[in-house]
Amino acid sequence: LRSGSVRLTADGGFVTVAGMIDTSGVNGGDIALYGTKGVTLQLTAKLDAHADGYAADDTRRARAGTITLGTDFIRGSAITGGDGSVSGTSGAVKVTAGALLDVSARRPGDRLVRLMRNGTVYYQYVEADQGGAVNFRAPVYVNNGNQTVNVAVDQASSIVGARSVAIEGFKRWDLAAVA
């Protein structure tokens, strides 16, 4: 699948990727995959949101896209506690060994761009193109008395070029129970 950006939500189901999702370009596009029961990237999966960058004589700075993989409590498993907090069985986010999430910038170095104005040569400093971000989002649940999230990345090398990698654990509250 090739597109400027991709957002796929399996409301009540799984998202499993075994092929390529490509949003790369001069600036990388965003990829967001959400599955209530989980998101799995199989070993042949490639999510490509890299930035090729502008021409060498262009003064603009390119940015790679953001890849977000998220899940939630499995429908029908959520219960509300006495304090209004919601818990249940979490879906899983899994990046299998061999899968690739590429949010790199192909032009990582700073550069000077030569400009000509009124017959005079000037040089403009341009910062390096910027890698993208990878975000994992899952509900916090209790496992053997410890709070955790159901996110697994088999190999750190599956993530390429990220300027940041974040795991966002979230809690839910039933506002009617709290009020």
Side-chain angles (χ1 to χ4, degrees):
L1 173 64
R2 173 109 175 94
S3 182
S5 67
V6 172
R7 182 179 177 95
L8 175 66
T9 301
D11 188 18
F14 292 99
V15 173
T16 302
V17 178
M20 178 181 282
I21 299 176
D22 185 354
T23 61
S24 65
V26 172
N27 286 294
D30 295 338
I31 299 171
L33 305 175
Y34 298 96
T36 302
K37 292 184 179 177
V39 176
T40 299
L41 300 184
Q42 295 180 340
L43 71 113
T44 54
K46 182 176 183 184
L47 305 185
D48 189 355
H50 80 266
D52 290 320
Y54 295 97
D57 60 351
D58 196 310
T59 59
R60 293 176 288 179
R61 180 182 192 198
R63 288 179 172 79
T66 297
I67 296 175
T68 303
L69 307 177
T71 191
D72 203 345
F73 289 122
I74 296 173
R75 189 168 284 151
S77 75
I79 56 170
T80 302
D83 64 352
S85 65
V86 177
S87 62
T89 302
S90 174
V93 175
K94 172 106 170 119
V95 179
T96 306
L100 181 66
L101 292 82
D102 186 352
V103 290
S104 62
R106 298 296 196 253
R107 181 170 293 148
D110 297 344
R111 64 188 187 275
L112 288 175
V113 175
R114 184 175 190 257
L115 304 171
M116 177 75 80
R117 291 200 180 112
N118 299 325
T120 304
V121 174
Y122 296 92
Y123 289 90
Q124 182 173 335
Y125 169 79
V126 179
E127 287 186 87
D129 292 347
Q130 192 173 43
V134 176
N135 301 315
F136 300 99
R137 191 170 192 281
V140 174
Y141 69 98
V142 177
N143 183 14
N144 295 324
N146 297 311
Q147 293 186 2
T148 189
V149 293
N150 200 352
V151 173
V153 178
D154 288 348
Q155 294 177 322
S157 60
S158 290
I159 301 171
V160 176
R163 76 174 182 280
S164 70
V165 176
I167 296 177
E168 178 185 341
F170 63 88
K171 288 197 94 159
R172 258 215 203 119
W173 301 90
D174 180 339
L175 296 180
V178 174

